[in-house]
Amino acid sequence: LQGTFVLGLPYALLHSGYSGLFLIILAAALCCYTGKILITCLYEENEDGQLVRVRDTYEDIANACCKRLPPKLGGVIVNVTQVMELIMTCILYLVVSGNLLSYSFPHVPVTEKTWSAIAFVTLLPCVFIKTLKIVSKLSQLCSLVHFIIILVVMTYCLTQIHQWSWAKFRLSIEFEDFLVSVGVIIFSYTSQIFLPTLEGNMKNPGEFSCMLNWTHFFACVLKTTFALTAFLTWGEETKEIITDNLPSFLETLVNLCLLAKALLSYPLPFFAATEIVYACISRENHSKYRSPLFSLGVRGSFLLLTLLMAMFIPHFAVLMGLTGSVTGAAMTFLLPSLFHLKLKWKKLSFLEKCADISVFTLGFLCSLAGIVCSIKRLLKVFG
């Protein structure tokens, strides 16, 4: 919830004005809601009226909703969507790592692609990660580095408090720029892909809803505070990645922290993607698909795939925006609300049905707008 997208929130406020502050709060509430209804779809009542977990994954939910379609088609669509988003995220971390190393060491005669390859070498141990427990330790380190970055930026901003002015906020906004801001704000909260696994690994799954409330509340407070202080400091000069606004003596330090964050962030989406693919392949009762060597081969292939795509696909950032508009909106808004309506329709109140339909409609509009903007950018890039 406090990912790299957070560094783009001040820029989002630049293009959304006062409405951006409202969007940060609204996005937290919506993403928290869709996370809860997604987990609700994992459970059914037994004969005694007790809730029992009858499904384990996003795929299981999709298959339960698509029984009348060809066998397991729903699960296949969900898995492909999940893997696309996760792999794109991994590639983005490699691209960002190469970019940060290039900016941190400008006098070294090495291209960004070569820097990405060097960063890739440090990620080779990821092929040996077999449990979520190891990933969680790396994610804790990632969170620590992230808060160091936030602390450095906010401390500098507070030293410039004499320059703050609310007059820097826009009252009028341009529609296309506003849509970009909506995408940045909404997708800074996305975590639905990981929630079924997370809830299934909790010592007390009954506390999941409470955990989701508090994490989204604190994420909202931190995002609002950070975005507001940074934007009030730089105003119209706010850059897409706020760390680029820092003076040179801080920029190198923060860039190296961002590099560490990107490399520590990589294992989570990588682990999730490879687990999905390995589970799909090894589902058949073939012993060769269940061997440790085969598992190692799957992870190694995915690791190499992320490097090749990071190095050889031109204009990857624009393609990432297009993919994110499709997969991000689908996994965060469209599918949770659709599945909840399908599986729980008879038990939902009128207000709950209206809430799900509203979330689905909003997700569809966000996705459509994001696709249009991304295609326009692709047309400009390719002439």
Side-chain angles (χ1 to χ4, degrees), residues 76-225:
V76 170
I77 293 172
V78 164
N79 280 338
V80 169
T81 306
Q82 286 187 98
V83 171
M84 279 179 63
E85 184 171 355
L86 291 166
I87 290 299
M88 283 291 190
T89 303
C90 290
I91 298 165
L92 185 62
Y93 286 136
L94 274 177
V95 173
V96 167
S97 297
N99 181 269
L100 289 169
L101 282 166
S102 178
Y103 275 99
S104 300
F105 305 102
H107 302 298
V108 178
V110 173
T111 64
E112 280 191 28
K113 290 182 178 180
T114 306
W115 279 123
S116 292
I118 293 171
F120 169 80
V121 173
T122 66
L123 296 170
L124 289 176
C126 287
V127 297
F128 301 108
I129 296 177
K130 297 181 180 179
T131 65
L132 198 61
K133 190 171 288 186
I134 297 172
V135 176
S136 72
K137 298 294 182 184
L138 296 172
S139 294
Q140 283 181 327
L141 289 174
C142 177
S143 298
L144 178 63
V145 173
H146 178 81
F147 282 111
I148 291 173
I149 296 168
I150 298 297
L151 183 63
V152 170
V153 175
M154 290 189 67
T155 301
Y156 178 81
C157 290
L158 290 173
T159 64
Q160 307 297 311
I161 197 169
H162 57 279
Q163 298 180 4
W164 289 10
S165 171
W166 287 94
K168 295 177 180 180
F169 269 94
R170 289 185 179 188
L171 292 175
S172 60
I173 54 177
E174 294 184 16
F175 185 65
E176 190 169 326
D177 289 337
F178 177 72
L179 289 177
V180 174
S181 301
V182 171
V184 172
I185 291 169
I186 288 177
F187 296 122
S188 70
Y189 284 102
T190 56
S191 61
Q192 277 70 8
I193 287 178
F194 308 107
L195 294 185
T197 303
L198 178 63
E199 193 262 358
N201 281 277
M202 288 180 70
K203 289 184 179 179
N204 185 0
E207 295 180 351
F208 178 83
S209 182
C210 179
M211 178 275 292
L212 216 58
N213 288 337
W214 280 109
T215 49
H216 280 77
F217 171 76
F218 283 120
C220 180
V221 170
L222 287 169
K223 287 177 196 290
T224 305
T225 304

Side-chain angles (χ1 to χ4, degrees), residues 32-106:
C32 182
Y33 174 74
T34 56
K36 288 179 182 177
I37 63 175
L38 180 66
I39 296 305
T40 300
C41 294
L42 297 173
Y43 290 84
E44 295 289 350
E45 286 187 3
N46 61 14
E47 295 176 354
D48 300 324
Q50 297 176 325
L51 288 176
V52 180
R53 201 177 202 262
V54 296
R55 304 176 188 100
D56 293 316
T57 64
Y58 218 137
E59 179 191 5
D60 293 338
I61 297 172
N63 285 330
C65 291
C66 304
K67 289 180 179 178
R68 295 182 181 179
L69 297 177
K72 300 185 178 180
L73 178 62
V76 170
I77 293 172
V78 164
N79 280 338
V80 169
T81 306
Q82 286 187 98
V83 171
M84 279 179 63
E85 184 171 355
L86 291 166
I87 290 299
M88 283 291 190
T89 303
C90 290
I91 298 165
L92 185 62
Y93 286 136
L94 274 177
V95 173
V96 167
S97 297
N99 181 269
L100 289 169
L101 282 166
S102 178
Y103 275 99
S104 300
F105 305 102

